[in-house]
Amino acid sequence: MKALVYGGPGEKSWSEIPDPTIAGPRDAIVRVDAVTICGTDLHILGGDVPEVEPGRVLGHEAVGTVVAVGEGVANLTPGDRVLASCISACGVCRYCRDGVYGQCLGGGGWILGHTVDGVQAEYARIPFADLSTYRLPESVSDESAVLLADILPTSYEVGVLNGGVRPGDTVVVVGAGPIGLAAIQTARLFSPTHVIAVDKAQSRLDAAKRFGADLTVLADADPLDAVRAVTGGLGADVAIEAVGVPASFELCTTLVRPGGRVANIGVHGAPATLHLERLWIRDVTITTGLVDTRTTPKLLDMLVAGQLDTAHMVTHRYALEEIVEAYDVFARPAETGALKVVLTR
């Protein structure tokens, strides 16, 4: 089969590799029907995730059709159409019993495209398949569903829920890429008074307005003045970091009000300065996190009910074998206008 293979920082190729096989009783083999590219994949290619070894198949977001299952898989049969979650869960370790699947001690967590071969391929092995896939109703398209593999639950859990967004809050989202847009959309579920988007690209700020931001600010302007103007000088109740660079994290700590919350979603590949000498006296809470995907079933229900819009996030579509070109487009959003890129068979 063909797959997108990581060759080390800056190196990738659409290469012929052996087909995946059942390696354990709880595995499933899935024919990949739709995949997308994540900002984390770009961090891997940038050398920010050194645990990923050359030769690894990248990708952790897919919709596919089950073609084979291990003898320990109870709830899937060949022919089932499923969403493959970015997080795998053994279901029995201490963290999985608490619903903290991202920290699984039994061989799960974020492993696809990280410590085991991922899903940017014609076929993929899905460990712990019963707990790491979700059957999809016919009413949900592959394109809509694939965005529930990572960005929607990540933004909702690590951004909105960790940030404690409440009715009447002012929420500022720094970074209006796919993760930031998903944070804007899911923050709106809690009826905040204002959702403010900050980004360097006007095209992404325009997209942020379509997804529910009522105020947008270019990062090179003065975001602090804009936030203070609608909060009586206080600052944001919740600041969500959705980029993963030191400047965006430090900006969030500047924009948040005393007693507010900073929720970091972005994947950081370099240290960020934490100005505790200024933050401690302001009662600021800072959270970080890897998604657990415990909310994926609820988000899927909301997608079916029409409460979430994922289709408008997809700006570019490619055939699976065009994935190298798709990476190039996704990596240059200011030039290409790319938000989310979806590849299908």
Side-chain angles (χ1 to χ4, degrees):
M1 71 169 189
K2 288 288 190 72
L4 197 284
V5 179
Y6 175 65
E11 300 293 330
K12 62 187 180 301
S13 62
W14 181 243
S15 302
E16 187 76 32
I17 64 169
D19 289 355
T21 58
I22 299 290
R26 300 177 68 186
D27 289 350
I29 303 299
V30 171
R31 184 194 71 199
V32 175
D33 299 322
V35 296
T36 186
I37 303 169
C38 182
T40 303
D41 296 321
L42 299 184
H43 280 284
I44 292 170
L45 286 166
D48 294 341
V49 190
E51 298 85 1
V52 181
E53 299 176 348
R56 178 71 62 226
V57 175
L58 295 182
H60 51 267
E61 305 165 85
V63 168
T65 303
V66 176
V67 297
V69 296
E71 61 184 13
V73 176
N75 297 315
L76 295 176
T77 58
D80 285 345
R81 177 170 164 262
V82 296
L83 169 70
S85 175
C86 67
I87 297 296
S88 303
C90 78
V92 296
C93 73
R94 167 65 183 274
Y95 284 112
C96 284
R97 285 177 177 268
D98 288 340
V100 188
Y101 308 124
Q103 303 301 322
C104 175
L105 297 172
W110 173 37
I111 56 174
L112 292 175
H114 183 204
T115 58
V116 304
D117 283 343
V119 297
Q120 289 173 358
E122 294 177 318
Y123 292 88
R125 179 178 72 91
I126 308 298
F128 308 116
D130 276 330
L131 296 175
S132 307
T133 63
Y134 302 88
R135 282 199 198 89
L136 293 171
E138 291 183 5
S139 62
V140 176
S141 69
D142 290 354
E143 185 174 287
S144 292
V146 75
L147 303 191
L148 268 66
D150 184 353
I151 65 167
L152 258 297
T154 293
S155 297
Y156 185 52
E157 295 175 19
V158 184
V160 175
L161 297 185
N162 278 6
V165 176
R166 296 177 295 218
D169 276 354
T170 291
V171 180
V172 61
V173 178
V174 177
I179 285 287
L181 295 177
I184 289 167
Q185 186 176 75
T186 52
R188 276 292 176 199
L189 298 171
F190 291 85
S191 301
T193 299
H194 296 290
V195 177
I196 304 166
V198 180
D199 199 279
K200 291 184 175 181
Q202 186 60 51
S203 62
R204 291 198 162 191
L205 293 180
D206 293 341
K209 286 188 175 181
R210 296 196 295 271
F211 278 81
D214 58 279
L215 179 64
T216 61
V217 188
L218 285 167
D220 294 334
D222 196 336
L224 181 58
D225 275 356
V227 172
R228 284 177 172 170
V230 296
T231 59
L234 290 177
D237 298 282
V238 182
I240 297 176
E241 196 285 333
V243 183
V245 297
S248 57
F249 174 78
E250 292 167 28
L251 178 59
C252 283
T253 64
T254 300
L255 299 177
V256 71
R257 68 166 175 82
R261 288 92 63 195
V262 174
N264 184 91
I265 305 177
V267 177
H268 287 264
T273 301
L274 180 62
H275 287 287
L276 281 176
E277 77 280 6
R278 296 199 297 264
L279 293 170
W280 75 271
I281 202 169
R282 299 173 60 221
D283 298 341
V284 171
T285 298
I286 297 173
T287 60
T288 64
L290 172 66
V291 65
D292 295 311
T293 65
R294 67 184 183 278
T295 65
T296 300
K298 181 180 293 186
L299 292 167
L300 181 56
D301 287 344
M302 286 192 282
L303 182 65
V304 171
Q307 294 175 281
L308 291 175
D309 173 18
T310 57
H312 287 91
M313 200 176 294
V314 179
T315 56
H316 293 71
R317 296 166 178 86
Y318 292 91
L320 187 57
E321 61 268 21
E322 297 174 308
I323 193 165
V324 172
E325 178 185 349
Y327 258 90
D328 180 60
V329 168
F330 183 66
R332 298 182 294 111
E335 301 171 45
T336 64
L339 294 175
K340 206 64 176 167
V341 173
V342 171
L343 303 101
T344 56
R345 278 182 172 266

